[in-house]
Amino acid sequence: MNENTAAADPLIASARRDEICRIFGESYDPARWNDWRWQMRHRFIKPEQFEKLLRLTTSERRGLAMTHEKFAVAITPHFAELIDPDDPNCPIRRQVVPREEELLVGPGDMTDPCGEDHDEVVPGLVHRYPDRVLLLALDTCAAYCRYCTRSRLVSQGELDPLPRRLDAVIAYLEAHTEVRDVLLSGGDPLLMSEDRLDEVLGRIRAIPHIEFVRIGSRVPSFLPQRITPELVAVLRKHRVWLSLHFCHAREVTPDVANACDLLADGGIPLGSQTVLLKGVNDDVQTLKDLFHALLKVRVRPYYLYQCDPVVGTGHLRTSVAKGIELISGLRGHTTGYAVPTYVIDAPGGGGKVPIQAETIVSYENGQALLRNWAGRTYSYVDPAEHA
Ligand SMILES: *Cc1c(COP(=O)(O)O)cnc(C)c1O
Ligand code: SF4
């Protein structure tokens, strides 16, 4: 059930795809499968569809029955194919199939852990750092991550469509000449049509002081079929950078690799964000495999996030100590490009705080004692005038 078997044996791959299509009363047809709108129309949403896709556990069955009112459930056929139907601990499955534990509220859990609502200046526009803003483009995603930091908004139908908010957003950006960087995120901006995206990006790009525009998207992982030459042309036209979202190497399938190739060949710089999740990617080898797989398709790991304390995510979170241990096991042990910055988005609106193990043992009298990746110490002496 991984990309290697799929690549090595197209017959096995299409057999599973056929099973998936039959749940919707259709047979596997590669042209339909590769059409992103077909994928969106055939998402797994209802408990009875999941019963046919997976051998559900009691916790998952209860989760499917009870959590959708709080936070939508949806999985694309593409992503569903990656789930091991017999393994409840499958790392792909844990990301997207709800469990009963989602109903639990732990100490410190919040509905808006990053305090975004507090820094909202115009509906859907968050201005926290002096020079950059976050624009929530829409409130739908191709599939729903059970740990989503914006589950209070995403899938809830509370955010007005962007065309209705866009004039106010543009007016704010025009008035705030200190803003040079706009991050469109969501919900998933790449679910907009090419025409809509072209219009939104064009209006942002027309503001002279906006010099950097990026889009955060999990579409390449959930719905690689969406990455079409037409979409790439719009992104290239507006000189957009992309921040993708991947949590496990198994997500980097041949179809995903093709989508990344199309983007990289189209001149779109690609970064990636990963959320550290218990039972999904919380060991060094799993993270290494993921980051190496991403480098191979020209995606640069950017951030590794400590999972935000969103209500109902306790079963998916690790300790901070675990995160420090993991990032220490990567830095220096593999290609520097394969090591993202480990950050905690400080609860309550503090912004991203980078975390690493202590590498400066002491720094006194112009002498810094450093600990390297292998645990040995070295000293660096400052030039004379600073001693
Ligand atoms: C993450 C984030 C940004 C962008 O931060 P970078 O460190 O530049 O990637 C901007 N605004 C908000 C509110 C954010 O959460
Ligand atoms: S893709 Fe992003 S916004 Fe959408 S559900 Fe996942 S984490 Fe939330």
Side-chain angles (χ1 to χ4, degrees):
M1 285 310 300
N2 63 31
E3 71 274 22
N4 298 326
T5 30
D9 194 340
L11 274 181
I12 292 178
S14 61
R16 180 62 179 158
R17 288 182 182 183
D18 197 53
E19 283 171 12
I20 289 172
C21 293
R22 295 212 177 267
I23 296 172
F24 298 96
E26 298 184 16
S27 55
Y28 173 54
D29 173 283
R32 276 201 303 246
W33 184 274
N34 289 325
D35 172 357
W36 72 276
R37 293 184 192 278
W38 182 90
Q39 289 271 337
M40 287 296 283
R41 280 197 308 271
H42 293 78
R43 292 186 298 170
F44 285 83
I45 292 168
K46 300 183 187 141
E48 56 269 30
Q49 296 166 336
F50 282 93
E51 293 284 356
K52 293 178 186 155
L53 179 72
L54 308 172
R55 212 143 52 82
L56 293 173
T57 64
T58 307
S59 168
E60 287 172 332
R61 204 165 275 131
R62 292 201 180 127
L64 284 164
M66 295 188 286
T67 57
H68 61 93
E69 284 163 24
K70 286 174 57 217
F71 182 42
V73 174
I75 306 178
T76 55
H78 164 81
F79 209 69
E81 189 196 357
L82 308 182
I83 298 177
D84 185 330
D86 300 314
D87 177 11
N89 295 318
C90 163
I92 300 296
R93 184 161 167 167
R94 283 180 69 85
Q95 294 180 56
V96 288
V97 178
R99 297 185 174 207
E100 193 177 15
E101 291 98 304
E102 278 186 29
L103 300 166
L104 302 175
V105 181
D109 285 6
M110 308 179 190
T111 48
D112 176 22
C114 302
E116 290 177 347
D117 293 345
H118 176 265
D119 289 329
E120 184 169 272
V121 286
V122 165
L125 188 69
V126 182
H127 192 180
R128 164 167 310 145
Y129 301 102
D131 71 334
R132 55 206 192 278
V133 294
L134 164 66
L135 174 57
L136 305 180
L138 69 177
D139 65 4
T140 48
C141 294
Y144 294 104
C145 315
R146 304 323 298 167
Y147 51 85
C148 179
T149 194
R150 297 199 187 107
S151 52
R152 72 186 186 285
L153 288 176
V154 166
S155 86
Q156 304 291 330
E158 295 215 342
L159 205 60
D160 269 345
L162 190 53
R164 256 188 262 161
R165 295 181 282 129
L166 193 57
D167 286 344
V169 167
I170 297 296
Y172 182 90
L173 294 177
E174 281 171 345
H176 288 262
T177 53
E178 73 277 18
V179 177
R180 40 165 288 285
D181 169 356
V182 177
L183 161 58
L184 272 94
S185 185
D188 207 310
L190 296 189
L191 292 181
M192 287 192 266
S193 68
E194 281 84 359
D195 287 349
R196 171 76 48 81
L197 206 51
D198 186 32
E199 186 207 336
V200 171
L201 293 170
R203 289 192 63 187
I204 294 172
R205 270 286 178 222
I207 303 170
H209 53 271
I210 305 295
E211 53 190 46
F212 186 61
V213 179
R214 54 184 154 160
I215 290 177
S217 171
R218 200 171 182 178
V219 151
S221 160
F222 281 153
L223 185 66
Q225 294 79 9
R226 172 70 188 103
I227 308 303
T228 58
E230 295 73 28
L231 179 70
V232 175
V234 172
L235 300 175
R236 180 175 49 223
K237 173 180 168 191
H238 298 288
R239 300 281 187 277
V240 170
W241 288 51
L242 279 191
S243 267
L244 313 182
H245 177 162
F246 290 95
C247 289
H248 195 280
R250 237 193 255 175
E251 292 165 45
V252 190
T253 67
D255 285 345
V256 171
N258 287 340
C260 292
D261 261 347
L262 207 56
L263 289 162
D265 290 349
I268 316 299
L270 302 174
S272 159
Q273 322 196 75
T274 297
V275 179
L276 179 57
L277 297 168
K278 187 155 95 187
V280 172
N281 56 20
D282 58 341
D283 71 88
V284 170
Q285 193 56 49
T286 304
L287 288 175
K288 239 189 224 179
D289 289 346
L290 168 62
F291 300 143
H292 291 173
L294 291 172
L295 283 191
K296 281 203 264 181
V297 295
R298 288 179 283 177
V299 176
R300 159 74 156 113
Y302 177 45
Y303 283 140
L304 172 66
Y305 287 98
Q306 176 70 14
C307 184
D308 292 324
V310 191
V311 173
T313 60
H315 62 296
L316 286 170
R317 286 160 51 200
T318 65
S319 65
V320 175
K322 185 75 189 176
I324 293 172
E325 174 200 320
L326 295 173
I327 204 72
S328 306
L330 290 169
R331 173 63 64 199
H333 294 269
T334 183
T335 313
Y337 274 122
V339 185
T341 305
Y342 171 45
V343 294
I344 301 181
D345 217 322
K352 297 176 184 74
V353 178
I355 308 290
Q356 61 176 151
E358 211 59 76
T359 51
I360 298 197
V361 180
S362 67
Y363 185 23
E364 291 165 332
N365 306 321
Q367 183 172 333
L369 202 59
L370 312 171
R371 184 184 294 116
N372 81 346
W373 62 277
R376 283 199 284 274
T377 46
Y378 297 84
S379 84
Y380 179 92
V381 179
D382 284 339
E385 66 266 31
H386 296 284

